[in-house]
Amino acid sequence: MASKAPKRDIDESALRVTRPKKVAVGVPAVLHALQISQQQMGVARSVQTLIRVNQKDGFDCPGCAWPEENKRHAAEFCENGAKAVAEEATLRQVGPDFFARHSVEELAGHDDWWLGQQGRLTHPMILDEGATHYRPIAWDDALDVVAEALRDLDHPDESTFYTSGRTSNEAAFLYQLLVRGIGTNNLPDCSNMCHESSGSALTETIGIGKGTVSIEDIHTAELLIVAGQNPGTNHPRMLSALEKAKENGAKIIAVNPLPEAGLMRFENPQTPKGVMLGGQKLADEFVQIRLGGDQALFQAIGKHLLEASADGESADPIDHEFIAAHTTGFEEYARELAAVPWRDLVEATGVPESALRRVAEMVRASRATIVCWAMGLTQHKHSVPMLRDVVNVLLLQGNIGKPGAGVCPVRGHSNVQGDRTVGIYEKPSEAFLAALDREFGFTAPRAHGYDVVEAIRAMRDGRTRVFMAMGGNFVSATPDTRVTEAAVRSVDLTVQVSTKLNRSHTVTGRRAIILPALGRTDRDRRGGREQRVSVEDSMGAVHSSRGRLAPPSDDLLSEVAIVARLCARVFGGGVAGAGVEGAAGVREEDRRTEEDAAAKTPRFAESPREGGRPRADWAALEGDYALIRAHIAAVIPGFDDYEQRIDKGRTFFLPNGPRDTRSFATSDGLAHFTANPLEYPRIPRGRVLLQTLRSHDQYNTTIYGKDDRYRGIHGGRRVVLVHARDISDAGFAEGDVVDLVSEWTARDGHVEERRAEAFRLVAYQTPRGNAAAYYPETNVLVPLDSVADVSGTPTSKSVVVRFERRG
Ligand SMILES: Nc1nc2c(c(=O)[nH]1)N[C@H]1C(S)=C(S)[C@@H](COP(=O)(O)OP(=O)(O)OC[C@H]3O[C@@H](n4cnc5c(=O)[nH]c(N)nc54)[C@H](O)[C@@H]3O)O[C@H]1N2
Ligand SMILES: Nc1nc2c(c(=O)[nH]1)N[C@H]1C(S)=C(S)[C@@H](COP(=O)(O)OP(=O)(O)OC[C@H]3O[C@@H](n4cnc5c(=O)[nH]c(N)nc54)[C@H](O)[C@@H]3O)O[C@H]1N2
Ligand SMILES: [Mo]
């Protein structure tokens, strides 16, 4: 039996701090995962579930986007994947009785851990205007309310549609069609807060916003630089790939302000050696960099390579042939870099010149280098130029489009990359829109829509009347919590398609609707057959995913069904089932006739907007997801024979010009060197620069447990990790509880302050002047206007704060 959900929030007074660990994974991790699984779903369901994770006929792990290897292990999951699965496959439930017992106000007073631990949502719910409690509502009525609100808009841009990154290709494609059919490109997604900087930098420089390596490249690289990433917690299966690379002779450089356990050493629970020998040493070199110093590091590497090339004494490290044939901008890059003083590079990184040169020598010695990165590189003000400088270094040695070499932005959510591929983007390309128009006989809007930060501004400024979210936890995941919450509360109607209860169900518009959806692990029967969906991993490989577990309730619909029914209501034509078919599939007798639909056809259809509306047989799409895949194949290059290519658990790669043929879809068909002035954060006196990151027991805003085992934090989350001398310099002692106050100079020049209360000071091995605390508790400190240049990503890894004694 699963154990009961907690009754109380996290008790921070129970917090315990021990020494951080040096080794990641191993047997304790597996035991911990099994324990969490059993609490959530009992023994039998745990076993039944975990053996299907990432298997060829199983479901794609909702944990992260790291690819599976072709030859699968019997247990192709990791501790944190197991936790992600347990979180979804839990037997705990949040049904109408739960909402009758708890007012929305009471729920809003609980922390994210408590909310998430209550269980799966089982029934559509509505919060009427002025009501204190959600009440149950039939699916048809709920969808009618949404459709009606959409057609009542004066302008389509008064609606905004968020997507988190777990949504399947099929659901995401239909969802963007709904949104563009309504007439807006307001499609912000979690990517805007995540790898948007990677997309921006890579599209500009190599013509594709994705990585250029496969898992085999990782195995065969001579050098891997892992910067701004904590794979031991967030991509544990990546450690097996790094281990294999090491066995093949690769060197690894870890670049991080924190000595993260997984990067330093790794015990592979799947090999006896890992368990018995205390694991494999992973990082050959640990560069303990200052927050935001990575641009300087990559400039230092580039500068050293150019200097070595010029001295003419030893083998030239620069691939002049590649540069001449495939790139532009080299001269200017080299000239600008020559003018950057080493002193500045040392200051920005906090690393002595000798160590910078040592690292650069490792790069020089390698004939195949991969740079992997995640949030430590994407969530800074200057992330885009930083990543352009990563590309510059790789281009110098021709490390794009050759085996064992390339760029590897390691994605977060399990289908965030696929969602973008199938059109979840506020700035869609003309080619994509033109193809969409042709396929569905309408004209999609061309004007760009809102990203996440712009969406919040629009709500704040009263320009949004309907906000819908396909998964995720918008209110907790976004920056500037107080501003965002007020913004969301000003919307007429908020609609959340969700699997689990979270804060976005408690901070709502004047009216709110919860639409409970099937998750990855749930069996999805529609149209009398079991449906599968498909996803794209971090390396551009597409494969199918099929849940096998009995869903928590018969009242759930798949995301595809929810969107298909909204399309039918908003656009008319092929109206899918009324009535609640739940997981049992569409019942013939429940199908509405076209005439019924016409009677209910929204005002949109009566006075169609200029572009007309997309035409499709929505009911048919709901009944057979293969038909949606056929549409995707017709609109997006690279999906030919989609259906056959995902049969029998097969995986196929989407085309990738730089990787496959060294062709670059830039304006001139060449890869671009860029000259980027050096930037790095300056920390005012008496302040520290705070990064907001993940603990080991959380998945973004979903908190699995209260420990961050590898960092030695147990039983609580309100900690701030700081250098011991910065604690004493600020006049505090380790263990003191302080408020974190962020300081931000607004555009008009005045300094704004934001406060996060009651954090315990923990002395930690971080560079002087740098600190770390967990997200989402600290999102309240991140100013809405503090975003990365070009990409607009909130600067979650660099927030200037001071500590204040609690009054
Ligand atoms: N278990 C689990 N898995 C997850 C997630 C989860 O929450 N839990 N989230 C998923 C998602 S959506 C994502 S995007 C990924 C996130 O994966 P990560 O990017 O690994 O997540 P963070 O915890 O934000 O860790 C950032 C890392 O970068 C370092 N860092 C911070 N600033 C800098 C810097 O300026 N320079 C350098 N070099 N390093 C820096 C931090 O010390 C930390 O090690 O993980 C995915 N997988
Ligand atoms: N300060 C700070 N803020 C950050 C970050 C940071 O490092 N620091 N990281 C940013 C990053 S990288 C990301 S990706 C975002 C994450 O932002 P989001 O993706 O919005 O947040 P999650 O916490 O992953 O969303 C969890 C919720 O998704 C729902 N859910 C889970 N699975 C499914 C499903 O299959 N279908 C549906 N419909 N719903 C589902 C559940 O209800 C669950 O409560 O946060 C960003 N915010
Ligand atoms: Mo992410």
Side-chain angles (χ1 to χ4, degrees), residues 7 11 78 212 380 403 411 600 659 673 683 725 750 771:
K7 295 222 157 47
D11 172 14
C78 65
T212 67
H380 290 282
R411 304 277 160 179
K600 276 218 161 191
R659 181 192 65 206
F673 278 97
I683 309 168
R725 294 242 297 284
H750 86 279

Side-chain angles (χ1 to χ4, degrees), residues 429-721:
S429 72
E430 178 54 33
F432 172 81
L433 293 177
L436 199 66
D437 290 352
R438 269 197 308 279
E439 181 71 6
F440 295 99
F442 79 123
T443 308
R446 265 33 185 193
H448 289 174
Y450 303 143
D451 65 12
V452 162
V453 167
E454 289 161 344
I456 296 168
R457 288 190 189 126
M459 287 189 253
R460 179 195 63 193
D461 300 343
R463 285 182 277 133
T464 303
R465 291 173 54 201
V466 178
F467 173 82
M468 176 165 175
M470 184 54 66
N473 182 1
F474 190 83
V475 163
S476 280
T478 50
D480 224 344
T481 313
R482 294 209 175 95
V483 173
T484 298
E485 291 192 351
V488 169
R489 288 189 199 280
S490 76
V491 171
D492 288 343
L493 175 68
T494 50
V495 183
Q496 299 284 337
V497 180
S498 312
T499 51
K500 302 281 303 267
L501 186 67
N502 65 45
R503 198 161 169 80
S504 299
H505 306 116
T506 73
V507 177
T508 69
R510 277 186 277 281
R511 285 192 303 163
I513 289 187
I514 299 174
L515 303 175
L518 293 173
R520 275 293 162 75
T521 54
D522 298 320
R523 188 167 48 229
D524 183 3
R525 282 186 67 83
R526 320 249 103 233
R529 76 192 98 182
E530 261 184 46
Q531 304 285 343
R532 61 180 176 188
V533 293
S534 52
V535 294
E536 177 184 345
D537 68 29
S538 194
M539 295 180 178
V542 179
H543 60 95
S544 69
S545 174
R546 192 199 290 268
R548 302 290 173 130
L549 293 178
S553 141
D554 284 342
D555 269 341
L556 302 187
L557 286 180
S558 68
E559 294 178 346
V560 167
I562 292 169
V563 181
R565 291 177 191 197
L566 279 176
C567 285
R569 280 172 169 76
V570 176
F571 307 130
V575 175
V580 178
E581 301 89 22
V586 182
R587 286 200 301 259
E588 264 324 299
E589 64 270 27
D590 281 341
R591 277 189 187 234
R592 261 196 212 150
T593 61
E594 290 268 337
E595 292 93 85
D596 284 346
K600 276 218 161 191
T601 297
R603 204 179 305 157
F604 254 105
E606 289 159 21
S607 56
R609 58 175 207 93
E610 243 164 78
R613 53 206 151 88
R615 271 184 281 271
D617 184 345
W618 310 108
L621 298 186
E622 172 180 340
D624 184 1
Y625 301 177
L627 300 174
I628 306 177
R629 286 188 284 275
H631 282 302
I632 295 177
V635 171
I636 303 162
F639 282 94
D640 324 78
D641 304 320
Y642 199 168
E643 206 55 35
Q644 294 72 31
R645 282 157 88 198
I646 57 168
D647 268 345
K648 303 197 184 74
R650 276 195 298 265
T651 290
F652 71 91
F653 282 90
L654 290 172
N656 186 308
R659 181 192 65 206
D660 303 339
T661 56
R662 287 189 159 175
S663 51
F664 303 95
T666 53
S667 46
D668 51 11
L670 298 170
H672 291 195
F673 278 97
T674 50
N676 308 290
L678 177 64
E679 292 176 61
Y680 58 98
R682 318 289 155 118
I683 309 168
R685 201 184 262 279
R687 309 292 183 264
V688 296
L689 195 65
L690 178 78
Q691 61 152 322
T692 61
L693 43 45
R694 293 155 173 79
S695 85
H696 194 64
D697 270 1
Q698 75 182 85
Y699 194 93
N700 299 339
T701 70
T702 298
I703 313 300
Y704 301 137
K706 294 169 278 190
D707 302 336
D708 193 4
R709 203 169 68 238
Y710 296 153
R711 299 195 185 105
I713 308 295
H714 310 273
R717 294 180 47 86
R718 296 187 86 85
V719 290
V720 54
L721 313 180

Side-chain angles (χ1 to χ4, degrees), residues 199 201-210 657-658 663-667 670-672:
L202 294 174
T203 305
E204 274 178 61
T205 54
I206 62 169
I208 190 168
K210 303 181 180 186
S663 51
F664 303 95
T666 53
S667 46
L670 298 170
H672 291 195

